[in-house]
Amino acid sequence: MLVGCLWQNDHIVTVSLGGTIYLYSASDLDQDPVILCGHMKNVNSLVVLKTSPETILSSSYDGFIFKWIRGVGFAGKLERPDKNQIKCLAAVDEEIISSGFDNKVWRIPLTGDECGEANIVDIGSQPKDLSLAIRDHELALISIESGVVLLRGTQVLSTINLGFTVTACSLAPDGTEAIVGGQDGKLHIYSVKGDSLTEEAVLEKHRGAITVIRYSPDVSMIASGDANREAVVWDRDSREIKLKNMLYHTARINSLAWSPDNTMVATGSLDTCVIVYEISKPAASRTTVKGANLGGVYAVSFVDQNTVVSSGEDACIRLWKITPQ
């Protein structure tokens, strides 16, 4: 349904009820229109495809997944057979895995601009976070309130009760280690063997519920954020704190990302700001993007070494050029 139209020089511009803008050439009406589209609801997840770092996938609360290309903008809507709401999204170049509020995990093959037939797994509890083993993306870790679920493809390997309230999780790229964050602010490190987890260590520093955990690209470090506005960088081997006093947000940290060369960490917060820390410098020498997304930053990622992309409550995708201090 069209809700508006106008002439603009040699173009006819129309706007649909769904928010899509069509630009027609007035001198050649047989020519296909240029289509501009975007999210209508808050954007809660971002993924930068590793083998194509110019390509960004974003998902919004209302279940839409859009593809963006740096320097071009909107590059298409990934059509899915079911528009269920999306809470968590992860992706590699061949596959998207998502979860919502229906106790189900969706594994969707990705071929170019099209989604294949989805494989749906009902895990019996509402997913709170999900993580893929990047080097073995058949393996996925799903956190639920009481523990975690290990998936191999569409097969549930195990549902493990961990004995504490789980709030976040991350799976090592090779799938041999998992880190699970709790409501108590602790990071529990497990070795993964087959369908079981064995606890190896517990890291304590956070004073709020863990909201996000990420391995560095070279897997030598771990970064974590909490609901008490603090982020911490850990050395993976020694399990000692590598960068502390990352306390410059004024509200919970919703998202966290590593730069491709492992030298910087970006955090996105409910306070609308993105903060970039350099690992080799004190936290006080941070770079702050104020008002990055009005209403709160829900997702953040590095597109390249000096470019950060953020999204949030305002339904916008924004790219920021970062100049280290």
Side-chain angles (χ1 to χ4, degrees):
M1 176 180 174
L2 297 183
V3 295
C5 64
L6 60 83
W7 286 91
Q8 179 65 32
N9 298 326
D10 187 46
H11 291 88
I12 299 172
V13 183
T14 65
V15 182
S16 73
L17 186 61
T20 303
I21 299 174
Y22 298 86
L23 281 73
Y24 296 88
S25 171
S27 58
D28 184 5
L29 294 177
D30 292 329
Q31 182 179 335
D32 290 336
V34 175
I35 299 175
L36 303 175
C37 194
H39 292 286
M40 302 288 284
K41 301 290 185 180
N42 54 289
V43 183
N44 48 26
S45 298
L46 285 174
V47 178
V48 177
L49 297 183
K50 299 301 181 184
T51 59
S52 179
E54 301 294 305
T55 302
I56 302 163
L57 300 181
S58 62
S59 68
S60 53
Y61 175 79
D62 53 0
F64 289 103
I65 301 175
F66 287 99
K67 180 179 179 181
W68 312 85
I69 297 177
R70 182 183 175 187
V72 175
F74 173 75
K77 181 190 297 183
L78 299 182
E79 296 293 342
R80 300 187 302 137
D82 193 329
K83 298 296 188 300
N84 64 312
Q85 294 175 339
I86 294 176
K87 182 178 180 182
C88 305
L89 178 79
V92 291
D93 291 274
E94 306 88 2
E95 183 184 41
I96 294 171
I97 180 169
S98 68
S99 66
F101 297 89
D102 55 1
N103 297 351
K104 295 177 182 177
V105 174
W106 294 59
R107 304 196 74 132
I108 308 169
L110 184 60
T111 54
D113 293 334
E114 296 182 359
C115 292
E117 184 176 349
N119 294 307
I120 304 169
V121 185
D122 191 332
I123 63 173
S125 297
Q126 184 176 310
K128 305 189 76 170
D129 196 5
L130 63 84
S131 180
L132 284 175
I134 301 300
R135 298 174 194 163
D136 180 16
H137 63 87
E138 283 290 298
L139 184 64
L141 181 71
I142 317 296
S143 67
I144 57 178
E145 186 167 349
S146 61
V148 294
V149 177
L150 275 172
L151 287 182
R152 168 69 68 180
T154 56
Q155 178 187 1
V156 176
L157 296 179
S158 59
T159 300
I160 304 169
N161 190 322
L162 296 177
F164 59 91
T165 302
V166 175
T167 55
C169 68
S170 186
L171 192 58
D174 60 4
T176 61
E177 183 180 84
I179 305 175
V180 180
Q183 185 72 34
D184 58 3
K186 297 178 182 179
L187 296 173
H188 300 257
I189 300 178
Y190 299 90
S191 60
V192 181
K193 295 181 180 178
D195 60 357
S196 64
L197 301 182
T198 303
E199 186 168 278
E200 301 289 341
V202 178
L203 305 182
E204 298 186 44
K205 174 65 170 71
H206 291 281
R207 292 169 292 179
I210 306 299
T211 55
V212 60
I213 308 165
R214 293 289 182 269
Y215 283 91
S216 62
D218 65 358
V219 205
S220 67
M221 293 174 283
I222 302 159
S224 51
D226 67 32
N228 195 43
R229 72 188 180 84
E230 183 177 14
V232 180
V233 175
W234 312 79
D235 183 275
R236 185 189 177 194
D237 291 332
S238 69
R239 292 167 181 160
E240 297 293 329
I241 295 174
K242 195 173 183 69
L243 183 60
K244 58 183 177 180
N245 298 325
M246 301 165 71
L247 271 162
Y248 292 95
H249 285 294
T250 59
R252 64 175 281 138
I253 293 174
N254 290 323
S255 183
L256 183 152
W258 284 91
S259 64
D261 68 352
N262 314 283
T263 62
M264 292 187 286
V265 169
T267 56
S269 168
L270 189 63
D271 65 5
T272 76
C273 296
V274 171
I275 298 179
V276 180
Y277 300 92
E278 294 181 67
I279 304 302
S280 61
K281 297 180 180 180
S285 64
R286 69 204 180 279
T287 300
T288 302
V289 181
K290 295 183 179 180
N293 292 94
L294 299 180
V297 178
Y298 292 166
V300 65
S301 187
F302 276 85
V303 179
D304 60 32
Q305 182 53 37
N306 297 307
T307 307
V308 172
V309 58
S310 69
S311 65
E313 181 70 28
D314 59 3
C316 293
I317 312 292
R318 292 190 168 94
L319 274 74
W320 309 96
K321 196 73 174 177
I322 303 300
T323 303
Q325 299 298 311

